Amino acid sequence: MDSWEKDQARLLKIVEEMNSGSSNSESESDADSAENNNSDSEDDESTTDEEYEAPEEPENDETWHTNTTSIRNFSFDADAAGILLDIEENVSPIQVFEKIWDDQVMEMIIKSTNDYGIKLCNQARPHTRHSRKANFKNTDMIEMRKFLGLGLLQSQLKFSSIRKLFSIDALHYHPAFPSQMSGRRFEQILRCFCVEEENSSDPLRKIKIFLDLLIQKFANAYAPNEALSLDESLLLFRGRLYFRTYMKGKKAKYGIKFYELCSAQGYVLNIEVYKGHRENDENMTTIESLVMRLMQSYLNKGHHLFMDNYYNSLPLSNKLLSKKTHVTGTLRVNRKGLPQEITRRKLRKGEHVWRRQNQTYVSKWKDKRDVLCLTTAYHPSMINTANRRQQEKRKPIEIVNYNQNMSGVDRADQMMSYYSCPRKTIRWYKKIIFHLLDVAVWNSFYIFKEKTGSQMKYIEYREAIIRSLT
């Protein structure tokens, strides 16, 4: 066999070996694929034969539910509430008043008034011959008590000018005024009347130290019960002031706005004066920061705060709930995060619907108009209640309790408006000082009534203080 034939035989042998290897691998691969197909089919049969159970999804915190949940009980300490002053049951009106408007307050007023009077006298510009600023005599405790007493008395009288009260004319003569001091001296003290000024750029620096001092006196004199109310008040002022406010719903319309925290019966606990735009605290809106500042001393004590729709919101209720404070109040329909099935739903008169998110309930009730309400303290339900004519009517429990406990600020404003000390002036800080004097008288009257159980009227209480001061 020649070399060519040998090469041909060798090539044929190689081809046969290659063909036999590929057939074996194909058979093995076919077997493997069959096994895989069988196993896949078995798996498919197992998944179709057995019922598939999807894992339970966790409850979303932003979900609104139609079922109720337990109300958190913060166990308010009712034994710690009440009068904190050390007074007897037969205490007199002036003794209660001087526990709040004490010597510390009087000394601040006297020192500041004297300093300002001397400053006016030493001004470089010349004074007129009969100017009240030409010669100022320092005042003292006795004279300042008389001045404040006459200031309280003039709030009960109508007159065209202050000097008329000191006149000997029979048409205007009032013996209480000229018997205490001359009209000229009264006007001189009134011109220099002021309190300690804070050395800062705060718009309220002229009264901030005095305001903080009185708020501390109010808190140290009385501890409120569980229910608290928060609302705004307006002090009439038409002078030039950049944080003067217009409120069309108030009688005064223009003036200085106060945010007040009161007990449900009207005792004033905390006050903040609106002074224009201010920087918000982190992660809170302007209103939320305001409410948290006013409530700072009363958080984590189990109180129940009642607010109207200007303050109420879903995030604020959650923040207060985390501070062991319940919230109930009306709600604006355009607040963020509210359930649309409640806000957009049209109701028939008397119909009541609600939804729950975590511990907060949002309800809607149709009376003469739709009333949207938020609460963390009640399960929304309809109860029987009597109206002013003692007629039975069904109302939501959150609305009934809101009406009973929300009027604290309005009651305090109403009582103080009958006999208001502030008079027309271009100096806004004097308005606030005299307004705080009214608040101190009202708070002391509240304590006096609760301690003694007396049936004395507010006007009689004021007159008793005036007699003691003058």
Side-chain angles (χ1 to χ4, degrees), residues 129-355:
R129 181 179 178 183
H130 300 289
S131 173
R132 293 189 298 269
K133 297 180 289 185
N135 184 18
F136 179 81
K137 178 184 176 182
N138 283 345
T139 185
D140 55 16
M141 182 69 73
I142 296 176
E143 189 177 40
M144 184 56 69
R145 285 169 61 90
K146 292 180 179 180
F147 174 81
L148 293 177
L150 295 179
L152 290 172
L153 179 58
Q154 71 173 352
S155 66
Q156 302 173 198
L157 306 173
K158 290 185 178 181
F159 52 91
S160 57
S161 65
I162 294 177
R163 188 59 72 91
K164 294 287 187 182
L165 293 172
F166 297 87
S167 173
I168 60 174
D169 188 345
L171 291 176
H172 308 288
Y173 178 67
H174 196 294
F177 287 86
S179 64
Q180 300 300 321
M181 65 177 66
S182 66
R184 182 180 178 85
R185 179 58 175 170
F186 184 88
E187 291 177 343
Q188 188 180 43
I189 296 176
L190 181 61
R191 173 65 181 88
C192 304
F193 187 70
C194 63
V195 293
E196 183 179 351
E197 182 175 346
E198 186 180 58
N199 186 18
S200 69
S201 59
D202 194 315
L204 300 176
R205 60 185 177 275
K206 288 184 177 294
I207 53 98
K208 189 175 188 307
I209 297 176
F210 182 73
L211 177 61
D212 293 342
L213 176 62
L214 271 186
I215 291 174
Q216 189 62 45
K217 300 288 184 186
F218 297 158
N220 293 339
Y222 185 81
N225 291 316
E226 182 178 0
L228 303 176
S229 64
L230 191 152
D231 206 351
E232 66 271 2
S233 174
L234 190 68
L235 176 64
L236 174 63
F237 184 76
R238 289 185 175 270
R240 297 179 63 181
L241 185 65
Y242 86 90
F243 54 83
R244 188 186 67 171
T245 307
Y246 171 74
M247 299 179 67
K248 65 178 181 179
K250 299 292 184 180
K251 180 180 179 181
K253 304 296 183 184
Y254 291 92
I256 302 170
K257 182 162 68 172
F258 296 87
Y259 298 106
E260 295 182 358
L261 178 69
C262 295
S263 68
Q265 292 74 32
Y267 184 89
V268 181
L269 298 165
N270 201 354
I271 301 173
E272 181 169 317
V273 183
Y274 172 75
K275 57 181 179 181
H277 176 73
R278 60 181 296 169
E279 294 183 359
N280 300 334
D281 296 336
E282 188 177 358
N283 300 325
M284 283 194 288
T285 64
T286 302
I287 297 300
E288 291 172 1
S289 300
L290 168 67
V291 174
M292 298 303 285
R293 287 195 303 271
L294 288 171
M295 285 290 296
Q296 184 175 4
S297 300
Y298 303 96
L299 297 174
N300 297 309
K301 294 183 178 180
H303 283 289
H304 187 174
L305 180 61
F306 293 85
M307 302 180 290
D308 62 18
N309 57 20
Y310 179 76
Y311 307 93
N312 243 338
S313 67
L314 191 61
L316 178 58
S317 67
N318 293 329
K319 287 182 175 66
L320 289 172
L321 201 61
S322 66
K323 299 293 185 180
K324 298 183 179 180
T325 304
H326 280 299
V327 180
T328 297
T330 54
L331 196 61
R332 292 185 178 180
V333 71
N334 59 353
R335 295 295 190 194
K336 293 182 179 180
L338 301 183
Q340 294 186 359
E341 59 267 28
I342 296 295
T343 58
R344 295 184 177 181
R345 184 169 177 176
K346 294 184 178 180
L347 305 179
R348 296 185 299 273
K349 186 173 182 178
E351 191 175 359
H352 180 232
V353 293
W354 57 270
R355 291 292 185 273

